[in-house]
Amino acid sequence: MAGATPLTVTGATFPTLPLWLSTPFEATSTCFHSLQQQLDLFVNIVLLIRQNVVAPLLEIAVWICMVMSTMLVTEKLIMGAASLYSKLFRRHPHRRYKWVPMRDDLEMGSMAYPTVLVQVPMFNERQVYKLSIGAACGLSWPSDRLIVQILDDSTDLEIKDLVELECKKWMKKGINVKYEIRDNRSGYKAGALKEGMTKDYVQDCEYVAIFDADFQPESDFLLQTIPFLVHNPQIALVQARWRFVNSNECLMTRVQEMSMDYHFKVEQESGSTMHSFFGFNGTAGVWRISAIEEAGGWKDRTTVEDMDLAVRAHLIGWKFVFVGSVHVKSELPSTFRAYRSQQYRWACGPANLFRKICFEIFKTKKLSMWRKLHLVYSFFVARRVFSHIVTFMFYCIVIPTSILVPEVTVPKLGVVYIPTTITILNSVGTPSSFHLIIFWIFFENVMSLHRMRATLSGVFEVGKVNEWIVTKKLGSSSKPAKTEESMKRTRPSIINRVLLAELGMSMYLFICATIDLKYGKNHYFFYIYPQAVAFFIMGLGPLGLVGTVVAN
């Protein structure tokens, strides 16, 4: 064949394709070969980057998280041991401090009782204002030695009128109720409490009890707490424990109860037992008014004015006592949006306060250096900063990412033993909910993303660091009546009602778990798959998948 190149195989000769026809095949083969070379080059570059850049960085992240986790679990073990010591050896406050019940005096009459101010700050509390005012006015104390101060910052005129009407009803029953309003909300709760303390009638008061609008103290609350202040002049604050009336409303409130019970039974109890610092919870507590004044009064520089005041009082030598036997009924946020708002403030506020008060702590002369270091390390760094960061970074980022970087190995201490210890310690506060511990783990891990962002906002003082959103209460109703304001709101679009960061994390974790299932050897997918599902569900939480669903 003209123009053809013969092909010889084992002595036989076969005609081949003409040159003009064989050229495209050779070009295609060359093209594929070139693409293969480029692909191999790309893979080699990726491998080099993974080995020389990603792996070392991830290794550093692993050990940073290991250090923070060790700090956190050590702190929890110490607090757990102190709490256990208190229970085993009955080191309750009534044995550690002088406590004598208040009694009527035949000669002095009601003058034997100190004058007590009860402050109830509220803001548009349609669902709970009657409960809170009624509980405050129902406290067992001589009526001429008790002043109930309702600090109403409501912007809803209808609710304002209802609150004032309720106050007048109790006035007619002989209770000394003072209804106080402001023409602005400057300083939010701190501003209301500060202005309330400037009233002339407060000068006759020695102590002030503070209750948020959804808190309902038992009638003997003052009889149980005031004696600590009367007979122990070094005590500035008596903090009571919260008890939740709606803990069984949904799975989210059950999980919250586990965390809150641990806070009171372990964190607050251990701080009080060791005579170290523990924070004021902002409500269900009684303060010595002279201690508030000496500490500089209420300040609105952060959204945790309660913690701010407690730290400043501690720095000048005042002591606090936690009385776990005194319970005050309260309400957990049962809607997902309300819970996220509360958690943002509770995570951002302490981090921002740490930024502002750190130098004040080290400048004080009334505390030893050991107490200063303990306050900074234990209360702020370990519990208020590192805990949120390490929970998200280690269990949601570092461990799943290690599947994609086989050069990095995460020690079993960090993967198994430390988180197991932390989980067991957190479950001791609510033994009845131990069967929900798995839900608690995944719920807390998902919320750690939100809390970490809030913590970083507080540390660097950016974003919504000074935003105060009042936690909505539902009272006894799960479907509050619609107000005129809510009727005017337009329904947000789906894209604005889902949490894109949580959904993105869900996709990333699902990919990591799938790769681990197919190629991995550590079997992390048993943990990562459920975590991916948890992120997905809570990413759609605002649509009504998490918590109680209420009308707009």
Side-chain angles (χ1 to χ4, degrees):
M1 182 179 296
T5 304
L7 178 62
T8 302
V9 180
T10 62
T13 302
F14 299 91
T16 58
L17 292 173
L19 289 175
W20 64 271
L21 190 57
S22 64
T23 301
F25 285 95
E26 292 177 1
T28 303
S29 176
T30 303
C31 181
F32 277 121
H33 182 68
S34 177
L35 287 174
Q36 184 65 42
Q37 286 181 328
Q38 293 178 12
L39 181 61
D40 292 342
L41 179 61
F42 175 75
V43 170
N44 290 332
I45 292 175
V46 170
L47 290 175
L48 285 173
I49 294 175
R50 191 184 75 182
Q51 294 172 358
N52 299 307
V53 179
V54 178
L57 291 176
L58 187 61
E59 191 76 33
I60 293 172
V62 167
W63 288 108
I64 290 176
C65 289
M66 286 294 298
V67 169
M68 290 194 291
S69 297
T70 304
M71 292 169 59
L72 188 60
V73 74
T74 302
E75 184 67 20
K76 286 184 176 292
L77 286 171
I78 293 173
M79 291 189 297
S83 180
L84 182 62
Y85 166 80
S86 173
K87 290 176 174 60
L88 291 178
F89 294 93
R90 298 183 179 182
R91 297 292 296 166
H92 50 76
H94 296 81
R95 295 186 62 179
R96 290 186 286 114
Y97 297 98
K98 183 179 180 181
W99 188 93
V100 179
M102 305 296 298
R103 293 189 176 92
D104 294 333
D105 190 285
L106 295 177
E107 296 182 359
M108 299 181 63
S110 63
M111 296 296 291
Y113 291 79
T115 303
V116 178
L117 174 70
V118 178
Q119 290 185 314
V120 184
M122 56 177 56
F123 174 75
N124 292 340
E125 307 289 357
R126 178 185 292 273
Q127 303 301 322
V128 295
Y129 74 92
K130 282 188 177 182
L131 296 174
S132 58
I133 295 175
C137 293
L139 291 169
S140 298
W141 204 256
S143 58
D144 60 328
R145 310 295 286 175
L146 180 70
I147 302 175
V148 178
Q149 188 183 64
I150 307 301
L151 303 170
D152 189 12
D153 275 358
S154 298
T155 54
D156 188 313
L157 296 181
E158 181 186 353
I159 298 177
K160 219 168 192 175
D161 292 338
L162 291 173
V163 174
E164 185 176 10
L165 188 63
E166 186 70 12
C167 291
K168 289 180 179 179
K169 184 182 79 172
W170 284 99
M171 291 178 194
K172 292 178 181 179
K173 295 181 180 180
I175 306 298
N176 189 2
V177 181
K178 303 293 185 180
Y179 178 68
E180 305 289 353
I181 60 174
R182 300 189 295 165
D183 57 3
N184 62 77
R185 290 192 67 209
S186 175
Y188 301 105
K189 180 182 174 181
L193 293 172
K194 182 177 181 179
E195 186 165 321
M197 296 295 291
T198 63
K199 305 302 179 182
D200 294 337
Y201 53 82
V202 177
Q203 296 178 3
D204 300 325
C205 301
E206 297 179 56
Y207 311 108
V208 55
I210 302 171
F211 302 101
D212 283 349
D214 59 317
F215 280 73
Q216 305 159 48
E218 300 295 336
S219 60
D220 64 345
F221 176 85
L222 296 178
L223 295 174
Q224 293 290 335
T225 56
I226 293 295
F228 285 105
L229 296 166
V230 171
H231 301 294
N232 302 276
Q234 75 275 24
I235 294 179
L237 165 69
V238 179
Q239 174 69 59
R241 182 184 161 190
W242 301 358
R243 181 164 61 88
F244 309 106
V245 297
N246 66 331
S247 59
N248 292 323
E249 184 169 339
C250 61
L251 181 59
M252 191 181 77
T253 54
R254 291 289 298 274
V255 171
Q256 286 181 69
E257 182 188 32
M258 296 176 68
S259 297
M260 294 303 298
D261 281 350
Y262 172 82
H263 168 70
F264 284 106
K265 290 184 178 181
V266 178
E267 292 183 345
Q268 300 293 73
E269 183 73 51
S270 63
S272 181
T273 300
M274 296 188 296
H275 299 281
S276 60
F277 176 76
F278 68 90
F280 174 43
N281 293 113
T283 179
V286 187
W287 276 91
R288 188 185 302 273
I289 292 180
S290 60
I292 295 178
E293 295 172 346
E294 187 180 352
W298 295 101
K299 294 184 179 181
D300 60 357
R301 57 181 175 174
T302 68
T303 56
V304 284
E305 72 295 323
D306 45 8
M307 187 182 295
D308 189 356
L309 176 62
V311 173
R312 286 185 279 114
H314 179 69
L315 292 181
I316 56 178
W318 288 100
K319 295 182 179 179
F320 308 148
V321 59
F322 171 71
V323 187
S325 59
V326 179
H327 296 187
V328 179
K329 292 187 290 186
S330 62
E331 180 182 330
L332 290 164
S334 57
T335 65
F336 190 52
R337 189 177 299 276
Y339 179 68
R340 280 174 59 86
S341 297
Q342 180 201 69
Q343 293 301 298
Y344 189 93
R345 178 162 50 88
W346 285 7
C348 178
N352 189 236
L353 176 63
F354 174 59
R355 171 192 174 100
K356 294 180 177 180
I357 209 169
C358 185
F359 291 110
E360 294 181 36
I361 294 174
F362 285 107
K363 285 194 300 183
T364 185
K365 297 180 180 179
K366 291 193 175 183
L367 291 183
S368 64
M369 181 55 68
W370 165 250
R371 282 188 171 272
K372 295 176 188 177
L373 292 173
H374 182 264
L375 175 60
V376 169
Y377 167 79
S378 174
F379 187 77
F380 282 109
V381 175
R383 282 188 267 167
R384 299 300 186 275
V385 179
F386 283 0
S387 61
H388 303 316
I389 295 175
V390 73
T391 301
F392 175 72
M393 291 302 300
F394 197 30
Y395 304 115
C396 301
I397 296 294
V398 172
I399 293 177
T401 303
S402 67
I403 295 170
L404 309 178
V405 188
E407 293 87 355
V408 175
T409 301
V410 182
K412 284 187 177 180
L413 178 67
V415 178
V416 179
Y417 301 117
I418 288 179
T420 301
T421 303
I422 292 175
T423 300
I424 293 174
L425 290 173
N426 275 278
S427 66
V428 298
T430 317
S432 60
S433 297
F434 184 78
H435 61 289
L436 300 175
I437 197 67
I438 299 298
F439 294 99
W440 177 85
I441 292 171
F442 293 127
F443 182 83
E444 288 294 303
N445 285 354
V446 175
M447 285 303 302
S448 67
L449 169 59
H450 186 62
R451 295 187 184 118
M452 186 189 73
R453 288 186 299 191
T455 300
L456 296 177
S457 295
V459 169
F460 297 105
E461 205 162 22
V462 295
K464 301 178 181 179
V465 64
N466 293 316
E467 183 180 29
W468 178 287
I469 299 178
V470 176
T471 305
K472 296 294 182 182
K473 296 95 178 176
L474 303 183
S476 58
S477 172
S478 62
K479 293 184 179 181
K482 294 182 181 181
T483 63
E484 181 180 354
E485 180 183 1
S486 65
M487 292 290 288
K488 292 179 180 179
R489 293 176 185 167
T490 57
R491 189 177 182 85
S493 63
I494 293 294
I495 195 66
N496 292 327
R497 297 174 67 200
V498 300
L499 306 175
L500 297 179
E502 280 76 0
L503 293 178
M505 277 301 306
S506 173
M507 183 179 299
Y508 176 72
L509 291 174
F510 185 83
I511 293 171
C512 291
T514 303
I515 294 174
D516 185 59
L517 174 63
K518 189 169 181 62
Y519 303 106
K521 299 179 181 179
N522 295 316
H523 305 294
Y524 290 159
F525 63 88
F526 283 112
Y527 151 74
I528 299 177
Y529 269 133
Q531 188 66 73
V533 174
F535 267 101
F536 180 77
I537 293 175
M538 293 182 67
L540 301 178
L543 297 178
L545 297 184
V546 181
T548 301
V549 181
V550 299
N552 283 337

